[in-house]
Amino acid sequence: MLNKFAVLGFALVTIGASGSAIAQGRPNPATPPSTEVVAEGKTWTAPFGGNFTAGFGFFTDYSYRGISQTQRQIAVQVGVGYETPTVSEAVPLSAYISGWGSNVYFPNTGTVAEIDLLAGFKLKTLQDKLTFDLGYIRYNYLGAPSNLFYDFNEFGLVAGYDFGPAQLSAAIRYSPNFYANSGIAWYKWAQIAVPLPFIKINEDIAFKLYGTIGNQYVERFANYGIPSDNYWDWQLGLVVSVYGFDVSAAYTDTNVDIAGCANTLNCQGRVIFGISKAF
C-alpha cells in the first residue's frame, strides 16, 4: 500500500469548526481548537428559524493532527454551515450541516483539495456553558485516484465547559476504515483555552492562549505511513482578535521523528501563522 507520508507529506492546522485558527482536525472548539466547522456567535438568519455561519482563513501550513498536508506550504481554507433552532427551551438540542475545504499538496497523486462534509447534533445547557457535539465527518480528496482509498468517514463526540477564566474541551473520534485503507482509527484530544482580558488595548482587540494534546491510533499504521500504531501531537498558540479578524501563531509538533515521517519534515515542530474571519 502507498505510504502516506512518502507520497503526500500529509499534515494539518485549520480554520476548524469555528472559522478560527486553532485546530485539530475538524476541522478540529474555538477551533482554535478543532474542525467542527464555522464560528460560534457569527451567524445570520436562515430559513426554518435556523442560522447560517461562514468563515475563511489563510495559513502558512495545513496541519492535520500535527502532520503537514501541504508540505509546509500555504493553505487557504473556507467553511460554511447551517444550524437549526433548538427543539425548545427545555430541550436545547439543535442539528447542523456544514462543509469545509482546504487546498492540499500530495506530490505525484493529482490530489488538489480536501473537502469535508459534516453533520451532527449540538446540546448546550447550563446557560450554554456545557456543550456536547455528536457528529459525523466525510473526508473527500479531490483528484485522488480511487485505488488509493484516501476518502474516509469519521464519527466523534466533543464536550466542553466554559469556566470563565478558562474553557476546557475534549473529544474522541472513531473511523471504521481510516485514510488510505488503514483500518480502525481512534483520535483522542483535549484542549484548554484561556482568554487574556488583562491585556487591554481597546474593545476591538482581544487575546487568547490555548494548548492542545492528542493521540492518534491507527490499526494498519504502515498504510497510514507512521512507524507504530499510535503517535502524539500537541499545539500551543496565541490568537489575537483584531476588528473581527483572528490573527494566530501556533507551535505544532509530534513525537514522530524524521525517519518515521518518510524522511520529511512534515511531522516536525514548526510555528504556523494564520489570519481568519468568521461571518
Side-chain angles (χ1 to χ4, degrees), residues 179-203:
Y179 177 91
N181 194 31
S182 55
I184 293 171
W186 292 92
Y187 186 67
K188 286 84 69 181
W189 165 90
Q191 175 185 274
I192 181 169
V194 181
L196 306 175
F198 53 86
I199 302 178
K200 292 283 189 181
I201 297 178
N202 63 47
E203 61 182 13

Side-chain angles (χ1 to χ4, degrees), residues 65-109:
R65 297 172 187 175
I67 304 170
S68 179
Q69 313 288 287
T70 53
Q71 299 284 318
R72 299 169 66 120
Q73 297 182 38
I74 295 294
V76 180
Q77 302 172 350
V78 296
V80 294
Y82 171 81
E83 184 173 354
T84 69
T86 58
V87 175
S88 68
E89 289 188 10
V91 184
L93 179 70
S94 61
Y96 66 87
I97 56 172
S98 58
W100 180 92
S102 177
N103 63 294
V104 295
Y105 180 30
F106 302 164
N108 305 315
T109 68

Side-chain angles (χ1 to χ4, degrees), residues 118-268:
L118 303 88
F121 298 94
K122 291 183 180 179
L123 179 67
K124 300 178 182 180
T125 187
L126 300 180
Q127 297 180 325
D128 290 350
K129 291 184 177 181
L130 178 63
T131 61
F132 297 94
D133 184 333
L134 180 64
Y136 161 80
I137 305 173
R138 172 66 179 182
Y139 295 78
N140 304 281
Y141 294 90
L142 301 188
S146 59
N147 64 341
L148 298 183
F149 303 105
Y150 287 170
D151 299 352
F152 67 97
N153 303 308
E154 193 172 62
F155 305 87
L157 175 64
V158 182
Y161 190 84
D162 185 351
F163 289 91
Q167 296 91 45
L168 298 180
S169 303
I172 184 166
R173 301 191 181 282
Y174 164 76
S175 175
N177 193 12
F178 201 43
Y179 177 91
N181 194 31
S182 55
I184 293 171
W186 292 92
Y187 186 67
K188 286 84 69 181
W189 165 90
Q191 175 185 274
I192 181 169
V194 181
L196 306 175
F198 53 86
I199 302 178
K200 292 283 189 181
I201 297 178
N202 63 47
E203 61 182 13
D204 294 309
I205 300 177
F207 296 79
K208 179 181 286 189
L209 283 173
Y210 72 93
T212 68
I213 187 167
N215 178 264
Q216 177 73 68
Y217 164 84
V218 183
E219 180 184 20
R220 294 191 287 271
F221 57 88
N223 288 9
Y224 192 61
I226 53 178
S228 64
D229 65 4
N230 79 95
Y231 74 93
W232 291 89
D233 70 278
W234 53 90
Q235 189 173 89
L236 180 64
L238 172 69
V239 179
V240 183
S241 297
V242 182
Y243 295 97
F245 288 84
D246 286 344
V247 179
S248 61
Y251 177 79
T252 300
D253 203 352
T254 76
N255 67 337
V256 180
D257 62 17
I258 292 175
C261 200
N263 293 313
T264 74
L265 297 174
N266 292 320
C267 305
Q268 300 305 294

